[in-house]
Amino acid sequence: KGFSNPPRENITPSNPGTKHIGDHWPVSAAKPRGGDRLSHRIEAQAGRIHALIAEKDDLTLAEIRARLADNGHHFAIGMLWRFFARHRIT
């Protein structure tokens, strides 16, 4: 006869996302994963970024980053790079 765990009863979930499936161990509900959750921050600065490029079209990503930081908007170089890729700016 194989080993099996008896079903547990009276388990109180410590996590509100936990639910019981029958008389088996509690299973946590899946949470959304992946995807873009931060681009709205840089998209809000799109007008400013386009204005910087219009002033001087050969700015580096680091220079654009520094100009945005002067106004309190801090972005990683990678986020700027993805912004330019989304907007097809070369």
Side-chain angles (χ1 to χ4, degrees), residues 9-66:
E9 295 180 23
N10 300 325
I11 297 176
T12 303
S14 59
N15 178 347
T18 304
K19 51 186 159 181
H20 294 278
I21 299 178
D23 290 330
H24 301 287
W25 293 86
V27 177
S28 293
K31 296 178 181 166
R33 294 179 52 181
D36 181 12
R37 295 179 294 221
L38 298 175
S39 67
H40 66 277
R41 289 180 48 236
I42 196 164
E43 291 297 335
Q45 300 304 313
R48 174 81 173 124
I49 294 170
H50 287 285
L52 289 171
I53 296 167
E55 288 175 23
K56 185 178 176 190
D57 64 352
D58 64 343
L59 288 171
T60 64
L61 292 176
E63 290 170 328
I64 293 170
R65 180 180 186 222

